[in-house]
Every structure is written in C-alpha cells, then in structure tokens.
PDB file of all heavy atoms in Angstrom:
ATOM      1  N   VAL A   1       8.763  20.132  63.994  1.00 92.00           N
ATOM      2  CA  VAL A   1       8.077  18.905  64.523  1.00 92.00           C
ATOM      3  C   VAL A   1       9.055  17.810  64.521  1.00 92.00           C
ATOM      4  O   VAL A   1       9.111  16.996  65.513  1.00 92.00           O
ATOM      5  CB  VAL A   1       6.829  18.626  63.642  1.00 92.00           C
ATOM      6  CG1 VAL A   1       6.272  17.237  64.098  1.00 92.00           C
ATOM      7  CG2 VAL A   1       5.793  19.713  63.760  1.00 92.00           C
ATOM      8  N   PHE A   2       9.873  17.656  63.493  1.00 94.00           N
ATOM      9  CA  PHE A   2      10.852  16.487  63.409  1.00 94.00           C
ATOM     10  C   PHE A   2      11.844  16.639  64.557  1.00 94.00           C
ATOM     11  O   PHE A   2      12.175  15.632  65.258  1.00 94.00           O
ATOM     12  CB  PHE A   2      11.530  16.532  62.098  1.00 94.00           C
ATOM     13  CG  PHE A   2      12.555  15.399  61.939  1.00 94.00           C
ATOM     14  CD1 PHE A   2      12.158  14.076  62.066  1.00 94.00           C
ATOM     15  CD2 PHE A   2      13.905  15.670  61.687  1.00 94.00           C
ATOM     16  CE1 PHE A   2      13.060  13.032  61.916  1.00 94.00           C
ATOM     17  CE2 PHE A   2      14.781  14.639  61.559  1.00 94.00           C
ATOM     18  CZ  PHE A   2      14.384  13.333  61.703  1.00 94.00           C
ATOM     19  N   ALA A   3      12.371  17.863  64.795  1.00 94.00           N
ATOM     20  CA  ALA A   3      13.332  18.009  65.865  1.00 94.00           C
ATOM     21  C   ALA A   3      12.696  17.708  67.229  1.00 94.00           C
ATOM     22  O   ALA A   3      13.330  17.094  68.062  1.00 94.00           O
ATOM     23  CB  ALA A   3      13.877  19.479  65.884  1.00 94.00           C
ATOM     24  N   GLY A   4      11.434  18.186  67.444  1.00 93.00           N
ATOM     25  CA  GLY A   4      10.776  17.857  68.689  1.00 93.00           C
ATOM     26  C   GLY A   4      10.596  16.405  68.973  1.00 93.00           C
ATOM     27  O   GLY A   4      10.791  15.921  70.081  1.00 93.00           O
ATOM     28  N   LEU A   5      10.254  15.630  67.941  1.00 94.00           N
ATOM     29  CA  LEU A   5      10.002  14.169  68.096  1.00 94.00           C
ATOM     30  C   LEU A   5      11.322  13.434  68.242  1.00 94.00           C
ATOM     31  O   LEU A   5      11.402  12.397  68.848  1.00 94.00           O
ATOM     32  CB  LEU A   5       9.114  13.652  66.943  1.00 94.00           C
ATOM     33  CG  LEU A   5       7.693  14.205  67.060  1.00 94.00           C
ATOM     34  CD1 LEU A   5       6.905  13.800  65.765  1.00 94.00           C
ATOM     35  CD2 LEU A   5       6.951  13.567  68.272  1.00 94.00           C
ATOM     36  N   LYS A   6      12.359  13.936  67.641  1.00 95.00           N
ATOM     37  CA  LYS A   6      13.706  13.309  67.834  1.00 95.00           C
ATOM     38  C   LYS A   6      14.151  13.492  69.269  1.00 95.00           C
ATOM     39  O   LYS A   6      14.767  12.597  69.917  1.00 95.00           O
ATOM     40  CB  LYS A   6      14.715  13.866  66.877  1.00 95.00           C
ATOM     41  CG  LYS A   6      14.482  13.467  65.422  1.00 95.00           C
ATOM     42  CD  LYS A   6      14.497  12.003  65.191  1.00 95.00           C
ATOM     43  CE  LYS A   6      15.800  11.284  65.333  1.00 95.00           C
ATOM     44  NZ  LYS A   6      15.756   9.861  64.983  1.00 95.00           N
ATOM     45  N   LEU A   7      13.858  14.683  69.822  1.00 94.00           N
ATOM     46  CA  LEU A   7      14.119  14.912  71.274  1.00 94.00           C
ATOM     47  C   LEU A   7      13.347  13.958  72.097  1.00 94.00           C
ATOM     48  O   LEU A   7      13.791  13.478  73.175  1.00 94.00           O
ATOM     49  CB  LEU A   7      13.919  16.388  71.597  1.00 94.00           C
ATOM     50  CG  LEU A   7      14.071  16.757  73.073  1.00 94.00           C
ATOM     51  CD1 LEU A   7      15.490  16.506  73.520  1.00 94.00           C
ATOM     52  CD2 LEU A   7      13.713  18.271  73.291  1.00 94.00           C
ATOM     53  N   TYR A   8      12.081  13.769  71.719  1.00 94.00           N
ATOM     54  CA  TYR A   8      11.199  12.785  72.458  1.00 94.00           C
ATOM     55  C   TYR A   8      11.853  11.387  72.464  1.00 94.00           C
ATOM     56  O   TYR A   8      11.917  10.734  73.485  1.00 94.00           O
ATOM     57  CB  TYR A   8       9.896  12.757  71.667  1.00 94.00           C
ATOM     58  CG  TYR A   8       8.698  12.150  72.440  1.00 94.00           C
ATOM     59  CD1 TYR A   8       8.197  12.651  73.602  1.00 94.00           C
ATOM     60  CD2 TYR A   8       8.044  11.043  71.885  1.00 94.00           C
ATOM     61  CE1 TYR A   8       7.129  12.075  74.200  1.00 94.00           C
ATOM     62  CE2 TYR A   8       6.977  10.453  72.486  1.00 94.00           C
ATOM     63  CZ  TYR A   8       6.471  11.023  73.670  1.00 94.00           C
ATOM     64  OH  TYR A   8       5.326  10.444  74.272  1.00 94.00           O
ATOM     65  N   ASP A   9      12.406  10.959  71.335  1.00 94.00           N
ATOM     66  CA  ASP A   9      13.157   9.669  71.241  1.00 94.00           C
ATOM     67  C   ASP A   9      14.325   9.716  72.188  1.00 94.00           C
ATOM     68  O   ASP A   9      14.585   8.771  72.910  1.00 94.00           O
ATOM     69  CB  ASP A   9      13.682   9.487  69.814  1.00 94.00           C
ATOM     70  CG  ASP A   9      12.562   9.189  68.796  1.00 94.00           C
ATOM     71  OD1 ASP A   9      11.447   8.909  69.243  1.00 94.00           O
ATOM     72  OD2 ASP A   9      12.851   9.302  67.614  1.00 94.00           O
ATOM     73  N   LEU A  10      15.161  10.788  72.134  1.00 94.00           N
ATOM     74  CA  LEU A  10      16.321  10.887  72.976  1.00 94.00           C
ATOM     75  C   LEU A  10      16.019  10.751  74.459  1.00 94.00           C
ATOM     76  O   LEU A  10      16.727  10.118  75.182  1.00 94.00           O
ATOM     77  CB  LEU A  10      16.990  12.236  72.636  1.00 94.00           C
ATOM     78  CG  LEU A  10      18.336  12.421  73.324  1.00 94.00           C
ATOM     79  CD1 LEU A  10      19.413  11.473  72.843  1.00 94.00           C
ATOM     80  CD2 LEU A  10      18.853  13.893  73.056  1.00 94.00           C
ATOM     81  N   LEU A  11      14.972  11.382  74.884  1.00 94.00           N
ATOM     82  CA  LEU A  11      14.630  11.325  76.328  1.00 94.00           C
ATOM     83  C   LEU A  11      14.197   9.922  76.730  1.00 94.00           C
ATOM     84  O   LEU A  11      14.316   9.576  77.920  1.00 94.00           O
ATOM     85  CB  LEU A  11      13.506  12.317  76.616  1.00 94.00           C
ATOM     86  CG  LEU A  11      13.860  13.787  76.507  1.00 94.00           C
ATOM     87  CD1 LEU A  11      12.600  14.703  76.827  1.00 94.00           C
ATOM     88  CD2 LEU A  11      14.971  14.135  77.459  1.00 94.00           C
ATOM     89  N   ALA A  12      13.675   9.104  75.792  1.00 95.00           N
ATOM     90  CA  ALA A  12      13.302   7.738  76.164  1.00 95.00           C
ATOM     91  C   ALA A  12      14.488   6.850  76.370  1.00 95.00           C
ATOM     92  O   ALA A  12      14.341   5.845  77.107  1.00 95.00           O
ATOM     93  CB  ALA A  12      12.418   7.176  75.023  1.00 95.00           C
ATOM     94  N   GLY A  13      15.620   7.222  75.811  1.00 93.00           N
ATOM     95  CA  GLY A  13      16.873   6.418  76.061  1.00 93.00           C
ATOM     96  C   GLY A  13      16.680   4.959  75.647  1.00 93.00           C
ATOM     97  O   GLY A  13      16.193   4.689  74.550  1.00 93.00           O
ATOM     98  N   LYS A  14      17.092   4.033  76.551  1.00 92.00           N
ATOM     99  CA  LYS A  14      17.012   2.613  76.226  1.00 92.00           C
ATOM    100  C   LYS A  14      15.616   2.099  76.120  1.00 92.00           C
ATOM    101  O   LYS A  14      15.400   1.027  75.590  1.00 92.00           O
ATOM    102  CB  LYS A  14      17.768   1.798  77.285  1.00 92.00           C
ATOM    103  CG  LYS A  14      19.336   2.085  77.285  1.00 92.00           C
ATOM    104  CD  LYS A  14      20.008   1.229  78.342  1.00 92.00           C
ATOM    105  CE  LYS A  14      21.537   1.526  78.338  1.00 92.00           C
ATOM    106  NZ  LYS A  14      22.233   0.755  79.392  1.00 92.00           N
ATOM    107  N   LYS A  15      14.706   2.865  76.639  1.00 94.00           N
ATOM    108  CA  LYS A  15      13.263   2.417  76.538  1.00 94.00           C
ATOM    109  C   LYS A  15      12.504   3.010  75.337  1.00 94.00           C
ATOM    110  O   LYS A  15      11.307   3.044  75.323  1.00 94.00           O
ATOM    111  CB  LYS A  15      12.507   2.799  77.869  1.00 94.00           C
ATOM    112  CG  LYS A  15      12.942   1.868  79.023  1.00 94.00           C
ATOM    113  CD  LYS A  15      12.051   2.046  80.220  1.00 94.00           C
ATOM    114  CE  LYS A  15      12.145   0.859  81.206  1.00 94.00           C
ATOM    115  NZ  LYS A  15      13.448   0.258  81.369  1.00 94.00           N
ATOM    116  N   SER A  16      13.296   3.485  74.364  1.00 95.00           N
ATOM    117  CA  SER A  16      12.699   3.968  73.124  1.00 95.00           C
ATOM    118  C   SER A  16      11.925   2.866  72.444  1.00 95.00           C
ATOM    119  O   SER A  16      12.354   1.714  72.395  1.00 95.00           O
ATOM    120  CB  SER A  16      13.775   4.507  72.197  1.00 95.00           C
ATOM    121  OG  SER A  16      13.246   4.887  70.952  1.00 95.00           O
ATOM    122  N   LEU A  17      10.778   3.178  71.864  1.00 96.00           N
ATOM    123  CA  LEU A  17       9.969   2.168  71.146  1.00 96.00           C
ATOM    124  C   LEU A  17      10.311   2.201  69.598  1.00 96.00           C
ATOM    125  O   LEU A  17       9.663   1.402  68.886  1.00 96.00           O
ATOM    126  CB  LEU A  17       8.511   2.491  71.337  1.00 96.00           C
ATOM    127  CG  LEU A  17       8.028   2.447  72.823  1.00 96.00           C
ATOM    128  CD1 LEU A  17       6.513   2.681  72.850  1.00 96.00           C
ATOM    129  CD2 LEU A  17       8.340   1.102  73.437  1.00 96.00           C
ATOM    130  N   GLY A  18      11.202   3.070  69.182  1.00 95.00           N
ATOM    131  CA  GLY A  18      11.496   3.091  67.817  1.00 95.00           C
ATOM    132  C   GLY A  18      11.944   4.564  67.431  1.00 95.00           C
ATOM    133  O   GLY A  18      11.571   5.516  68.091  1.00 95.00           O
ATOM    134  N   SER A  19      12.767   4.666  66.406  1.00 96.00           N
ATOM    135  CA  SER A  19      13.257   5.973  65.988  1.00 96.00           C
ATOM    136  C   SER A  19      12.296   6.748  65.136  1.00 96.00           C
ATOM    137  O   SER A  19      11.768   6.221  64.173  1.00 96.00           O
ATOM    138  CB  SER A  19      14.592   5.762  65.291  1.00 96.00           C
ATOM    139  OG  SER A  19      15.138   7.018  64.886  1.00 96.00           O
ATOM    140  N   SER A  20      12.024   7.996  65.498  1.00 96.00           N
ATOM    141  CA  SER A  20      11.220   8.902  64.630  1.00 96.00           C
ATOM    142  C   SER A  20      11.878   9.144  63.312  1.00 96.00           C
ATOM    143  O   SER A  20      13.164   9.188  63.264  1.00 96.00           O
ATOM    144  CB  SER A  20      10.970  10.191  65.301  1.00 96.00           C
ATOM    145  OG  SER A  20      10.328  10.021  66.590  1.00 96.00           O
ATOM    146  N   ARG A  21      11.110   9.312  62.267  1.00 96.00           N
ATOM    147  CA  ARG A  21      11.739   9.588  60.949  1.00 96.00           C
ATOM    148  C   ARG A  21      10.736  10.368  60.125  1.00 96.00           C
ATOM    149  O   ARG A  21       9.541  10.281  60.286  1.00 96.00           O
ATOM    150  CB  ARG A  21      12.204   8.356  60.241  1.00 96.00           C
ATOM    151  CG  ARG A  21      11.080   7.340  59.919  1.00 96.00           C
ATOM    152  CD  ARG A  21      11.656   6.096  59.245  1.00 96.00           C
ATOM    153  NE  ARG A  21      10.631   5.132  58.992  1.00 96.00           N
ATOM    154  CZ  ARG A  21       9.963   5.015  57.839  1.00 96.00           C
ATOM    155  NH1 ARG A  21      10.174   5.911  56.847  1.00 96.00           N
ATOM    156  NH2 ARG A  21       9.065   4.104  57.635  1.00 96.00           N
ATOM    157  N   LEU A  22      11.286  11.150  59.232  1.00 97.00           N
ATOM    158  CA  LEU A  22      10.429  11.843  58.218  1.00 97.00           C
ATOM    159  C   LEU A  22       9.954  10.870  57.200  1.00 97.00           C
ATOM    160  O   LEU A  22      10.692   9.940  56.830  1.00 97.00           O
ATOM    161  CB  LEU A  22      11.291  12.901  57.513  1.00 97.00           C
ATOM    162  CG  LEU A  22      11.549  14.261  58.284  1.00 97.00           C
ATOM    163  CD1 LEU A  22      12.544  15.111  57.516  1.00 97.00           C
ATOM    164  CD2 LEU A  22      10.258  15.004  58.426  1.00 97.00           C
ATOM    165  N   ILE A  23       8.715  10.982  56.826  1.00 96.00           N
ATOM    166  CA  ILE A  23       8.212  10.149  55.756  1.00 96.00           C
ATOM    167  C   ILE A  23       7.574  11.075  54.693  1.00 96.00           C
ATOM    168  O   ILE A  23       7.098  12.158  54.968  1.00 96.00           O
ATOM    169  CB  ILE A  23       7.097   9.158  56.281  1.00 96.00           C
ATOM    170  CG1 ILE A  23       5.913   9.881  56.887  1.00 96.00           C
ATOM    171  CG2 ILE A  23       7.680   8.155  57.260  1.00 96.00           C
ATOM    172  CD1 ILE A  23       4.794   8.944  57.315  1.00 96.00           C
ATOM    173  N   GLY A  24       7.599  10.585  53.480  1.00 96.00           N
ATOM    174  CA  GLY A  24       7.061  11.342  52.397  1.00 96.00           C
ATOM    175  C   GLY A  24       5.560  11.317  52.334  1.00 96.00           C
ATOM    176  O   GLY A  24       4.896  10.634  53.038  1.00 96.00           O
ATOM    177  N   ARG A  25       5.063  12.130  51.446  1.00 95.00           N
ATOM    178  CA  ARG A  25       3.614  12.248  51.248  1.00 95.00           C
ATOM    179  C   ARG A  25       2.959  10.902  50.923  1.00 95.00           C
ATOM    180  O   ARG A  25       1.916  10.549  51.488  1.00 95.00           O
ATOM    181  CB  ARG A  25       3.347  13.240  50.125  1.00 95.00           C
ATOM    182  CG  ARG A  25       1.889  13.533  49.777  1.00 95.00           C
ATOM    183  CD  ARG A  25       1.868  14.608  48.744  1.00 95.00           C
ATOM    184  NE  ARG A  25       0.498  14.988  48.413  1.00 95.00           N
ATOM    185  CZ  ARG A  25      -0.274  14.358  47.544  1.00 95.00           C
ATOM    186  NH1 ARG A  25       0.257  13.365  46.880  1.00 95.00           N
ATOM    187  NH2 ARG A  25      -1.475  14.747  47.324  1.00 95.00           N
TER     188      ARG A  25
END
C-alpha cells in the first residue's frame, strides 16, 4: 500500500498535495 501511494504522489508531480508517509498505530 505504501509503495502504491508513493507512486500516486509521483504521478502528481508539481501538483502534489503532500507527501504520503507511513504512520504508526
């Protein structure tokens, strides 16, 4: 899931709304 959402960020390029990140419980 993390890799998929990082690819989602990458495809947004300069129009990214923020970087995906892992968060703890």
Side-chain angles (χ1 to χ4, degrees):
V1 174
F2 181 59
L5 290 171
K6 291 303 288 186
L7 177 59
Y8 195 63
D9 292 345
L10 183 65
L11 292 178
K14 293 181 179 179
K15 285 190 162 39
S16 172
L17 300 181
S19 180
S20 300
R21 63 183 176 89
L22 282 171
I23 60 174
R25 180 177 184 274

